[in-house]
Amino acid sequence: MLSVLVSYLYIAITTFLAGFGIRLLIKKCFGYEIKEIISLIYAGLGAVTVYAGIYSLFAGVSLGANIGLLLFCLLVVLIGKKDLCQYYEKQKTRLTKGKVLFVILMLLLFSYGASRGYMHWDSGLYHAQAIRWIEEYGVVPGLANLHCRLAYNSSAFVLTALYSMSFLGGQSLHTVSGFMALILAIKGLDVTKIFSRKKVQVSDFVKVAMLFYISIIYTEMMSPASDYFAMLFLFYIVVTWIELEEKKEKDITPYGMLCVLLAVNVTIKLSSAIMLLLVLKPAAVLLKEKRYGQIGMYLCMGILAVFPYLARNVILSGWLVYPFPAIDLFSFDWKIPVGEAEYDAEEIKVYAKGMTDVLLKDTPMSQWLPNWFAGLKGLEKIWILSSVASVVGGALVTIWGIFRKKQEIFGFLFLQWVMIAGYLFWQIGTPLVRYGYIYVLAFPFFTIGLWFVLLFEKWEKSYWLFGAALLVFFIYKGGNMAESIAASSDQNYYVWQQDYDTGPYDTYEVEGVEFYYPLDRGQIGYSKFPGAPHERYDFELRTDELKGGFRRISAEQ
């Protein structure tokens, strides 16, 4: 727990300063100032993710990468000293003892939660190994030939490697997803402001959905699973977008920057790509006003955000985007065979639909959907039905808004239809619930919130109705969290964080290098490195060193 707390403070300082560097750049280029501390931290998380990805192309993301990050933070302090002082003075006037105590309690609560809990199955399968490779070597040509899942290449792993602190000689920490959840929980809990403002906003509903999601992953957030990173980024983006609409923000810059953050999120989880439809709003405004210079700058930022991810893809697997072989541009000797890439892509889709046999990939939706739905947990079924109802509710509110000429909600309707597109894309394509919490939680809450605000906008006491429901929610989820804390209180992780799981293993040797392989359903963990998925192997070293990479043994050999 103590190691997590120290890690949180380090992440907070570096991401805030990185975000402040982004603030200085945006202010100079666009004349817009990012004001919220949480927005600065999330901007910093995006920037640091890109930095770690670029660094990994040249070296292991370890001590050197942290030195580079600290030097950048120092540069921000030196260049922006005056702005930092002014920002501090403004924030100091809003700081109270109550807020300080609240932040301290949240730090303790989340450092406790991220110090122990459930380690996601895939973390033992390949997440931990991917992070270890990044720490040691950055990126290795043909690494996917050793283990195909190492080609999935989520930017969540380079970000985790940057903050793992493995170079200190202890364990490799995995605290970033917990930190992101902490920051969003602080943002979400300002939903209680309804009692001071005496008004319910649409964003209040989505904040409740966000807090619900955080409560779900509270006992799992110590795992560096890319799903958590992606959903936490998306919840931040959606909530912030709604808040901008509520403030009637006329400057298109914050919308554009959220779209850049979306591009970063795509490198964390490809399934979030459909949300890039949000870029249509800033693009339309900038094109209408012929601000081609700004369009070029946003394009450059977007390209910079995805470049290290695409470059890593090519180096790891030989494909620009793995496992989607439609874009076939390269012929490196380490390239994963096209048949295997196609099989891997189909396996992901089939598994998400509740099937285990890739031969069933052509099963029509009318057949797999009922079985998939029947296999869901009780609460998950309610979420899916709510999402389906929200598609109808979104269509109805759109018709109503256009018919009544409610131009003030058109911005909300745009987001509504992007969410509808995202939900349908997820539901038809890869409907694994953990891939789509933004659609099965945020989407229904957003739709309900929009209807609530429209129907009760003239009822001054409507916030009491929402407040009563909020109180029930806090009591229910608070009780669940208290049970989780009590159940894990006997686990001795008050100094160090719970380490990666490691199952039984054996070894074999290839060209003088010892490889570990799991004996228990793929669970090889972190410490047994380098790990392979099984005893049988069909790869060879490209050079006499691991960093030279791997390639398949040709049929002739």
Side-chain angles (χ1 to χ4, degrees), residues 1-4 111-112 114-116 164-165 168-173 491-499:
M1 180 177 173
L2 181 60
S3 63
V4 176
S111 60
Y112 177 91
S115 66
R116 68 204 69 203
S164 71
M165 301 298 141
L168 294 177
Q171 68 185 86
S172 178
L173 297 176
Q491 298 176 17
N492 190 22
Y493 296 112
Y494 291 99
V495 177
W496 295 104
Q497 184 184 34
Q498 180 180 327
D499 209 347

Side-chain angles (χ1 to χ4, degrees), residues 522-540:
Q523 294 294 291
I524 195 62
Y526 176 89
S527 61
K528 305 310 174 187
F529 179 83
H534 41 64
E535 182 179 9
R536 177 184 57 80
Y537 67 90
D538 53 1
F539 64 86
E540 62 184 2

Side-chain angles (χ1 to χ4, degrees), residues 52 61 131 135 155-165 172-177 224-225 229 500:
V61 181
I131 292 164
E135 292 170 350
S155 293
F157 303 148
V158 293
L159 185 58
T160 301
L162 178 67
Y163 287 116
S164 71
M165 301 298 141
S172 178
L173 297 176
H174 29 93
T175 57
V176 183
S177 55
F229 287 74
Y500 289 106

